[in-house]
Amino acid sequence: MNRKNDQVNDVILQTAAVIIFFIIIVFSINLFFAGHYSPGGGFIGGLMTAAALVLLLLAFDSKTLAAVLPFDYRKMTALGLVIAMLTSLHSIFWGRPFLTHAYDKFDLPLLGEQTLHTAIAFDLGVYLVVIGVTMTIIQTIGESE
Amino acid sequence: MSVLHLAILLPLLAAPFIPFLFRALKRIHTGWFVLIVPVVLFVYFFRFIGITSAGDVVTETVEWMPSLGINFTAYVDGLGLLFALLITGIGALVVLYSIYYLNKDKESLGHFYVYLLLFMGAMLGVVLSDNMVVMYMFWELTSISSFLLIGYWYEKERSRYGARKSMLITVFGGLSMLGGIVILESIVGSFSIRDMVANQALIADSPFFIAAMILILLGAFTKSAQFPFHIWLPDAMEAPTPVSAYLHSATMVKAGLYLVARMSPVFQESSLWLWIIASVGTFTLFWGSFNAVKQTDLKGILAFSTVSQLGLIMSLLGLGAAALHYDGMDDNIYMVATIAAIFHLINHATFKGSLFMMVGIVDHETGTRDIRKLGGLMTVMPITFTIAVIGSLSMAGLPPFNGFLSKEMFLKATTKVFSMDFFALDTIGILIPVVAFIASVFTFIYSLIIFMRTFMGKAQFDQLPKQPHEAPIGMLIPPAILAILVVVLGFVPNVLSNSLIKPAVESIYPTLVASGQDVKVDIYFWHGLTPELYMTIGVILLGTLMFFTINKWMGIYNHIPHRLTLNGMYDGTLVWSNKAAYRFKDNYMTGFIRSYLVYIFLFLSGMILFSMYRFDLFDFSFGEMEAVAPYEYVLGAVIILASLAILFMRSRLPSIILLGVVGYSVALFFVFFNAPDLALTQLVIETVSVALFLLVFYHMPEISKKEVRVKFKVENAIVSIFVGVTVMLLSFMALSNRSLSSISEYYKENVYDLAAGKNMVNVVLVDFRGFDTLFEIVVLAIAAIGIYTMIKFRTTERTKGAREHEPKK
């Protein structure tokens, strides 16, 4: 991680940001996965992840962020839309109406018996779109002169 | 599709080939190919005379829109056939004439003949359609093709003006007629004219009878140039002369007469019908003849003369309705009016057609139509002169020409008005023969002017643009044929009586024919010393006297100011309505968004309050209200104070912060009201949007960062309070009128069983109502892409673009 900054010495901010970044990310992933049972979900999870990225953006600069996390957020938006659309579409191949979700219990390694739900895939689409949109907006405005 | 349908559509089918012929065969005048169409059609329709004179009709139907009751039903009876023969016969002569009149190298003949054929087909469709919607379609096609023909020399300002004027007026009438047709259909349940005639009693009893009649008559009056809609006809004289001869004397202007005659069986039982048509027709007769005298352009004279003669026929059609009120009489004298109408219709087509062609010849060979420049052409153009004399004298109503016969019959019909003892015709009705007499005098005068000023008098050839000489023979044939017809019909009028006139009159009086009355058409040359003969002698004496003293009384025309004339009113209306529309538009389209917001808010609140008042919904009940907790008071107070404070902030920065206060307070409300998902989202979104506001503030130009308080405007305050109160009342109303239980019970019960989730909000978002979410994320994506494009693809001409979008004031 490139920590040089000519004018200001942001060492406390930068150190804190690196630590807090992971806490926020974990929190956002938790929000995302918990969505079906407790408050949270793709939208707020996505916003939280974006907030973590913004924190990095504040502590460092956009070039650093792009070097560390080389995502194209516009493509991420598109990917999210595609995932949400495919999740919605898959049901019609089983003869069900559009956007019919399916779920079942599975015995997973490590996690034990868990319910898997196609709604989580839909939420993943939402999650990606929200990150993509927020980051696109903030990056675009931030980089404009 | 029968042969009859093909015949009606033949001109329309032939029209697309004309431009190819015009391009491919430059050496032959395109008119020769076109000529085949009306000649073939004339011969074809001629064969129907045997059928209709035997009292039979021919009906052929092609289904077009059967589910709507709109089928192309061709219906040939006496009236339709008479018109079809006029259209094709005079059409053939006009095409022949135009071959010599229009130069094949200088004019775009491809256009001309396409328009002319369109018109011919449309006109045949009008007179031979039984279905009124199909008739209306052809009717408008005549308006459109007439518009194209008047504007044929489109580089001339006057042509465009005349074309637009005729279009506006005739389409106004056509649309009115469509309204009448729809009303009639709603009464009868069919678009067929025959069904309407059969259900005439039903129509007469309907409360919409008068509305339907007036709307239909508006169509007829505008098309047939009746007062006050006649003003388009003189301006239509900018068309090439063959067009004037064909459309504006013989055929199109008679479409209104056709409509009146055709609809007579439906309406003529009503006294209003007789009165409206007879009075409008008689006044048009007078007004047209009165105005014709002052014209200096030959075509202008003929235009007003056409108006006047159309008025004559119209008034005869109206008077003919009286025949129905005397049924059972052995010799129904009122039927003479309708017979005269039909007879004069034929006569007018012959002599007016020949006169127009004569004027065209004079124009063509001398270069002017101005009677002040013309004179003494008799020796140079003897044949044209002969045609002019025959046409004018027939128009003036002199023996031995056919105009004399129909004029006598007209006067006879008007003098019979006295003996009608109903509709107050025995008192006010006296005006009709008086006006008719005066009009006949003026008719006599302008008929004399036409040939006296053109062909007699002093020759002044040096003032003419061209050296006059007799026209080529091809140009003289069509008017000569018409002139011969004028004479022949004058001497042996009864050739037509049983073949054409009788079947046509029978179509106008279906009820009389059904009751066994015989329509007797017998036109005498000499009918004894009757009042109408004395009237004719009076017309000749007075007319001659006035003609020779014309310079003494021409001054009366100068006393009518232009602004009060109908043309002045028409022009004024156009200018005024344009100005008024602009002024109206400029008044409310201010270009300021705040004005539009005021309209929107006022309209919204007004509509809501009005509907609440209208349905009496001010009855609020607060029984189901929950008790208000103390912290809700506190939070409410914070929000209210913050919102009010925004209004009084001097600077924008505190406003943004206060807005954030409101947003976080709302998030707190969500917490208190048990909406954790909303609270989370609201907190994050509020943060983001406040950050964006700050960003915008940071980038604002220095000048607008000045600390100025929002100016207080009373009207804005009133509007905003009004809107606020309205929305408040609306919410109270909605709360106290909740009549159905919420759908959320279903979600509560099934959230785990059906969707395997416990967070109901999230399950609704992704599962029960996932469709909404799907498109909300699309909205987000669009917003992101929008911001990206706006910022990344700013053009360098940003300032220029911004200036263009600035409001004008």
Side-chain angles (χ1 to χ4, degrees):
Chain A
M1 216 168 284
N2 188 2
R3 292 186 182 178
K4 67 171 183 229
N5 199 318
D6 296 337
Q7 279 88 39
V8 206
N9 193 348
D10 278 344
V11 68
I12 295 176
L13 173 65
Q14 290 179 350
T15 314
V18 171
I19 299 166
I20 293 169
F21 172 73
F22 290 102
I23 299 173
I24 301 177
I25 287 287
V26 169
F27 179 50
S28 74
I29 292 172
N30 173 52
L31 275 175
F32 169 70
F33 277 111
H36 226 53
Y37 290 113
S38 45
F43 197 81
I44 191 69
L47 278 177
M48 276 296 167
T49 310
L53 294 170
V54 170
L55 181 63
L56 283 191
L57 206 58
L58 288 174
F60 303 97
D61 56 10
S62 61
K63 276 178 192 154
T64 321
L65 186 68
V68 179
L69 297 167
F71 293 126
D72 185 337
Y73 293 105
R74 279 169 288 142
K75 283 183 184 153
M76 189 185 275
T77 312
L79 180 71
L81 283 179
V82 168
I83 291 175
M85 198 56 89
L86 287 178
T87 322
S88 318
L89 270 175
H90 86 278
S91 58
I92 64 169
F93 296 111
W94 310 104
R96 301 282 179 81
F98 185 74
L99 240 171
T100 310
H101 288 302
Y103 63 93
D104 206 350
K105 289 183 170 45
F106 290 95
D107 203 6
L108 297 175
L110 289 175
L111 296 169
E113 195 189 69
Q114 286 289 337
T115 308
L116 289 187
H117 199 307
T118 51
I120 203 77
F122 187 78
D123 238 1
L124 179 67
V126 176
Y127 178 77
L128 291 176
V129 168
V130 170
I131 298 175
V133 165
T134 318
M135 292 312 291
T136 309
I137 293 173
I138 287 169
Q139 266 191 344
T140 322
I141 295 176
E143 285 169 12
S144 73
E145 295 305 315
Chain B
M1 186 154 274
S2 63
V3 182
L4 181 58
H5 283 99
L6 283 178
I8 294 170
L9 296 176
L10 178 67
L12 303 183
L13 296 174
F17 299 102
I18 299 304
F20 296 109
L21 287 172
F22 175 60
R23 296 246 175 95
L25 298 163
K26 282 273 181 203
R27 286 173 46 212
I28 308 168
H29 197 287
T30 320
W32 290 109
F33 304 110
V34 179
L35 186 59
I36 303 166
V37 175
V39 170
V40 167
L41 286 177
F42 184 77
V43 173
Y44 174 76
F45 283 116
F46 202 77
R47 291 163 47 241
F48 280 87
I49 289 181
I51 301 170
T52 55
S53 57
D56 292 326
V57 293
V58 180
T59 318
E60 298 278 357
T61 303
V62 169
E63 290 205 333
W64 184 22
M65 294 182 242
S67 57
L68 297 176
I70 299 171
N71 295 314
F72 187 4
T73 305
Y75 175 72
V76 185
D77 65 346
L79 189 65
L81 182 68
L82 168 71
F83 275 90
L85 286 173
L86 276 182
I87 292 159
T88 50
I90 296 187
L93 295 176
V94 162
V95 172
L96 179 64
Y97 177 78
S98 69
I99 291 171
Y100 292 93
Y101 186 84
L102 293 171
N103 190 315
K104 74 174 191 298
D105 300 319
K106 286 179 193 157
E107 306 284 359
S108 52
L109 293 176
H111 295 171
F112 182 79
Y113 286 112
V114 167
Y115 302 158
L116 199 72
L117 283 176
L118 276 184
F119 171 77
M120 196 184 287
M123 204 59 211
L124 280 176
V126 167
V127 298
L128 295 177
S129 293
D130 179 54
N131 192 294
M132 291 207 82
V133 175
V134 177
M135 190 204 75
Y136 170 74
M137 184 190 78
F138 283 117
W139 182 279
E140 291 298 29
L141 190 55
T142 64
S143 295
I144 292 165
S145 50
S146 163
F147 169 78
L148 291 169
L149 282 166
I150 297 169
Y152 177 63
W153 287 314
Y154 54 83
E155 64 279 4
K156 284 202 297 184
E157 166 72 34
R158 293 292 307 167
S159 291
R160 296 199 300 270
Y161 173 79
R164 191 181 65 169
K165 194 173 186 178
S166 78
M167 185 78 166
L168 283 176
I169 293 177
T170 54
V171 168
F172 159 73
L175 286 174
S176 308
M177 192 181 90
L178 181 63
I181 292 172
V182 172
I183 291 178
L184 287 178
E185 198 271 346
S186 69
I187 299 170
V188 178
S190 158
F191 282 118
S192 161
I193 297 175
R194 280 170 302 155
D195 288 348
M196 286 172 191
V197 173
N199 291 304
Q200 177 256 330
L202 200 63
I203 295 172
D205 291 338
S206 160
F208 300 112
F209 175 80
I210 291 176
M213 184 174 89
I214 288 174
L215 286 173
I216 295 271
L217 281 181
L218 269 179
F221 286 170
T222 49
K223 201 74 164 179
S224 276
Q226 298 297 297
F227 187 89
F229 307 112
H230 66 275
I231 49 171
W232 66 267
L233 190 60
D235 284 304
M237 290 303 131
E238 295 302 321
T241 305
V243 172
S244 310
Y246 189 35
L247 273 69
H248 307 128
S249 71
T251 52
M252 189 180 88
V253 288
K254 295 208 167 86
L257 300 175
Y258 166 79
L259 185 71
V260 168
R262 184 53 94 198
M263 298 309 284
S264 283
V266 180
F267 294 115
Q268 64 185 351
E269 291 273 1
S270 155
S271 60
L272 206 58
W273 173 265
L274 193 159
W275 259 116
I276 291 179
I277 298 185
S279 51
V280 169
T282 314
F283 189 74
T284 310
L285 163 67
F286 161 72
W287 191 250
S289 61
F290 176 69
N291 275 296
V293 175
K294 74 167 175 181
Q295 302 299 317
T296 52
D297 177 16
L298 277 174
K299 274 176 99 172
I301 300 179
L302 290 179
F304 277 105
S305 135
T306 304
V307 170
S308 151
Q309 303 280 315
L310 292 170
L312 185 152
I313 303 172
M314 194 63 93
S315 84
L316 280 172
L317 285 173
L319 291 174
L324 287 187
H325 301 273
Y326 286 88
D327 48 28
M329 283 167 56
D330 289 339
D331 186 16
N332 196 327
I333 44 170
Y334 296 108
M335 210 177 264
V336 81
T338 305
I339 296 168
I342 299 294
F343 188 46
H344 195 72
L345 196 123
I346 302 168
N347 294 344
H348 178 252
T350 55
F351 67 68
K352 193 53 66 67
S354 74
L355 281 176
F356 265 110
M357 293 179 189
M358 177 279 291
V359 169
I361 292 170
V362 170
D363 187 16
H364 205 261
E365 304 307 334
T366 64
T368 183
R369 300 192 307 249
D370 195 330
I371 51 172
R372 287 167 299 192
K373 292 184 189 158
L374 293 166
L377 290 172
M378 185 170 77
T379 48
V380 195
M381 307 168 82
I383 305 175
T384 318
F385 167 71
T386 317
I387 293 164
V389 168
I390 293 173
S392 315
L393 293 186
S394 176
M395 181 157 72
L398 294 187
F401 306 110
N402 58 4
F404 170 70
L405 301 169
S406 43
K407 183 66 73 71
E408 290 290 277
M409 288 164 79
F410 166 63
L411 293 174
K412 184 174 167 190
T414 53
T415 48
K416 288 284 186 278
V417 164
F418 294 120
S419 39
M420 294 189 214
D421 47 4
F422 52 92
F423 309 155
L425 277 173
D426 44 351
T427 48
I428 315 171
I430 192 169
L431 278 173
I432 292 179
V434 170
V435 173
F437 176 78
I438 299 170
S440 300
V441 173
F442 280 111
T443 307
F444 186 83
I445 297 169
Y446 71 69
S447 300
L448 282 187
I449 288 176
I450 287 179
F451 74 91
M452 294 288 271
R453 293 281 166 81
T454 316
F455 295 98
M456 311 289 212
K458 193 164 56 99
Q460 37 188 356
F461 295 158
D462 48 328
Q463 287 186 18
L464 294 175
K466 288 182 187 172
Q467 194 57 35
H469 56 84
E470 188 58 278
I473 186 76
M475 218 165 171
L476 288 169
I477 290 174
I481 292 175
L482 287 174
I484 290 167
L485 269 178
V486 169
V487 180
V488 168
L489 288 181
F491 280 108
V492 273
N494 281 323
V495 282
L496 293 180
S497 51
N498 274 326
S499 53
L500 278 179
I501 299 176
K502 186 166 172 269
V505 173
E506 279 173 348
S507 336
I508 300 175
Y509 295 123
T511 50
L512 288 190
V513 175
S515 68
Q517 266 200 56
D518 196 24
V519 177
K520 267 190 240 161
V521 180
D522 206 2
I523 303 161
Y524 301 103
F525 214 110
W526 174 253
H527 38 73
L529 290 170
T530 47
E532 54 267 25
L533 188 66
Y534 294 121
M535 279 171 88
T536 306
I537 294 168
V539 165
I540 295 171
L541 291 177
L542 193 58
T544 317
L545 182 71
M546 284 178 76
F547 176 74
F548 286 109
T549 56
I550 195 161
N551 291 329
K552 297 219 167 63
W553 54 270
M554 269 307 261
I556 56 165
Y557 289 110
N558 302 330
H559 292 295
I560 308 164
H562 175 72
R563 220 151 49 82
L564 290 180
T565 60
L566 285 164
N567 269 323
M569 283 181 200
Y570 166 84
D571 293 336
T573 311
L574 278 193
V575 172
W576 176 84
S577 58
N578 229 349
K579 263 191 205 158
Y582 273 118
R583 200 171 300 157
F584 179 64
K585 189 218 73 178
D586 288 343
N587 261 334
Y588 76 95
M589 298 295 281
T590 53
F592 293 112
I593 290 178
R594 57 173 173 270
S595 322
Y596 306 147
L597 284 178
V598 166
Y599 308 149
I600 293 170
F601 282 134
L602 282 181
F603 184 75
L604 176 82
S605 312
M607 286 307 284
I608 290 174
L609 282 183
F610 175 74
S611 11
M612 283 174 74
Y613 164 76
R614 172 79 177 69
F615 298 104
D616 197 22
L617 293 172
F618 286 107
D619 182 23
F620 304 128
S621 65
F622 298 102
E624 287 177 39
M625 288 284 194
E626 304 258 341
V628 184
Y631 50 80
E632 288 169 8
Y633 280 115
V634 176
L635 211 50
V638 168
I639 291 186
I640 292 172
L641 283 177
S643 312
L644 284 177
I646 292 176
L647 297 177
F648 298 101
M649 282 299 125
R650 291 175 61 83
S651 162
R652 290 174 205 264
L653 203 54
S655 301
I656 295 171
I657 308 292
L658 282 168
L659 198 61
V661 169
V662 173
Y664 289 125
S665 310
V666 169
L668 271 181
F669 258 123
F670 288 145
V671 171
F672 292 141
F673 291 158
N674 299 324
D677 292 272
L678 288 184
L680 275 172
T681 317
Q682 172 70 21
L683 276 173
V684 181
I685 289 293
E686 191 60 38
T687 313
V688 172
S689 51
V690 167
L692 285 175
F693 268 124
L694 290 174
L695 190 72
V696 171
F697 174 76
Y698 181 76
H699 285 292
M700 272 213 296
E702 284 303 317
I703 189 153
S704 55
K705 275 189 198 168
K706 264 200 297 184
E707 306 205 337
V708 184
R709 250 177 64 180
V710 179
K711 259 185 254 157
F712 182 77
K713 280 192 189 142
V714 183
E715 62 266 29
N716 287 356
I718 291 172
V719 169
S720 57
I721 289 169
F722 185 49
V723 172
V725 170
T726 309
V727 174
M728 193 181 75
L729 289 175
L730 185 70
S731 347
F732 286 159
M733 187 271 287
L735 277 176
S736 53
N737 285 289
R738 188 179 281 173
S739 52
L740 297 170
S741 62
S742 168
I743 196 177
S744 57
E745 294 303 319
Y746 172 82
Y747 293 142
K748 275 185 207 162
E749 282 162 20
N750 294 301
V751 66
Y752 193 72
D753 298 339
L754 289 181
K758 286 173 186 160
N759 178 355
M760 204 176 86
V761 174
N762 202 46
V763 169
V764 169
L765 282 178
V766 298
D767 201 336
F768 288 131
R769 306 290 303 271
F771 226 129
D772 295 349
T773 312
L774 189 62
F775 286 100
E776 271 155 25
I777 57 177
V778 172
V779 167
L780 285 180
I782 292 172
I785 294 167
I787 289 171
Y788 183 78
T789 25
M790 275 198 295
I791 290 177
K792 292 280 174 183
F793 296 94
R794 274 185 303 200
T795 55
T796 44
E797 290 177 294
R798 186 157 156 247
T799 45
K800 189 186 163 196
R803 203 172 293 138
E804 274 170 9
H805 289 103
E806 269 175 15
K808 276 178 186 150
K809 277 181 188 170

